[in-house]
Amino acid sequence: MRIDDWHPDLSAQPGPKFRALANALREAARSGLLAPGTRLPPMRDLAWRLKVTTGTVARAYQVAAAEGVIESHVGRGSFIAAPRPRQPVPQPLLYESVDQAAVPGGPADLRIPQLPDCGQVQRIAAHLTALAEDLGADVLDYTPLSRDQDCRDAVLDWMAVRPLGAVARSDLVLTHGGQHAITLVMALCLADQPAKVMVEALTYPGISHAARLMRAQTLPVALDDQGVRPDDLDRVARASGARLICLTPSAQNPTLAGMGAARRAEIVEIARRHDLQIIEDECYAPSPRPDAPASLRALAPERVWHVSSLSKIIAVGLRFGILICPEGMGQAGRVAAQHSHMGLSQPITGLVTRLMRSGDASRIAREVQAEVEHRLAMAQEALAGLDARGQAGVPMIWLPLPAPWSATDFVARAAAAGVIVRPSSDFCGPGQAPLQGVRIALNGRMPRDRLMAALRTLGQMARSGPGVGPD
């Protein structure tokens, strides 16, 4: 079809006119109605033809360009873009961990911070048994937005020990784990924003994969020993127009950096200046303590989406996440979650409510954290003299590698010595030069003596350099 003969009916499209026009462009390109290379009319001409403003056409072209539907060239105009090659299937987020019981004498797998068994299975089983006896006919129905109120109240009490500021039940959204919460927030925040997400220069791969699902570009922001650098955040936000930043302020993954109160205030000031939305990922937050700095959600409740979960302190398999929305956005968050998964399973919300109200959740968390503290002390001993970094209650260690080690070489030699760890390159985006370091997960289900031997192997390798292997 010639572009002059293309007259989309914008009244048949939902939403604002710029979005309707962008949708019409996408549909025409995907259906072949407008062939790749078709030159689009100047904005003023198309605006006159469709009886809309030039600004409407400009925004539609901007959205279509961000989605890869059109491409613009200075001095030549805008054209229907050629179809992009399909992206390869991404790598799984989770490694298949080596089952130490099934593979006796196999490698010590320190890639995944598995929780210690502190009796969670028996306690969860007991609550599930009681829950089954009380199961009612409402399990036959869908879960309306209000049916999880009891669970949200229990979660609100559970979260009260964190420095979150004022949080209401209406601010809470229950999700299928922290990863689902992050993806949900990106879907909400990027709906009418540039498809760009600012991330920490070394970042948990789940953040990058969530951005990929939204077809969003990730923009790295430089780190220092407190996490994201304010000056670089200001630079990237100003240069890119991105309006969403993902942060792990209390225990940066993988470097375990923690933001102090002054740094958090600087980040919030920049976010307000550029009108940024913030995802505050606190799934690996350290154990609560009285002198902990206020969360970003407490400092900027109008723009912070606080993400937490039970995966790192109770049981990963529950797949239970907690999203605290900015003030006034809870209903929008719950509606978006309903569109995503039609509500959490009632047995799961019932189980979590029982765990929290009975006090078992708090007891399990304390016991897990005590075991993590013991393993952190083991790591400090085995890695003494190196610049290893950890956080109280967080079952991971970040080990910067002294020159001339490269992370790739270190990981390969460690694997040959029977210890598997994650290199810094696992946390870098395409084209980024990684810091030379490794993340060591303190596998909570590995026998302590086996873990200590593995940590000592890593410590000896780091001190000796690449020319000398472990004993």
Side-chain angles (χ1 to χ4, degrees), residues 118-140:
C118 298
Q120 296 99 308
V121 175
Q122 292 82 356
R123 288 170 177 164
I124 290 171
H127 284 292
L128 282 172
T129 299
L131 184 65
E133 294 173 353
D134 292 343
L135 205 60
D138 56 0
V139 77
L140 303 177

Side-chain angles (χ1 to χ4, degrees), residues 187-219:
L188 281 164
C189 290
L190 297 177
D192 293 312
Q193 295 290 333
K196 299 175 181 178
V197 180
M198 293 176 285
V199 300
E200 296 157 332
L202 289 179
T203 191
Y204 163 61
I207 299 284
S208 301
H209 284 296
R212 179 192 177 99
L213 286 175
M214 299 300 113
R215 294 184 173 87
Q217 178 187 7
T218 53
L219 305 168

Side-chain angles (χ1 to χ4, degrees), residues 5 31 113 116 130 144 152 164 174 198 203 214 230 292 306 342 374 425 440:
D5 298 326
S31 67
R152 279 188 278 142
L164 295 169
L174 307 182
M198 293 176 285
T203 191
M214 299 300 113
H306 181 98
M342 297 301 290
H374 188 92
S425 56
I440 305 167

Side-chain angles (χ1 to χ4, degrees), residues 400-418:
L401 295 172
W405 272 117
S406 72
T408 302
D409 191 18
F410 186 89
V411 167
R413 296 198 186 198

Side-chain angles (χ1 to χ4, degrees), residues 114-122 367-368 371 444-445:
Q114 293 180 303
L115 290 181
D117 184 355
C118 298
Q120 296 99 308
V121 175
Q122 292 82 356
E367 291 163 6
V368 166
E371 180 60 26
R445 291 207 293 283

Side-chain angles (χ1 to χ4, degrees), residues 375-389:
R375 290 174 185 248
L376 282 168
M378 292 166 54
Q380 290 170 357
E381 177 185 339
L383 304 175
L386 298 166
D387 191 23
R389 176 188 288 153

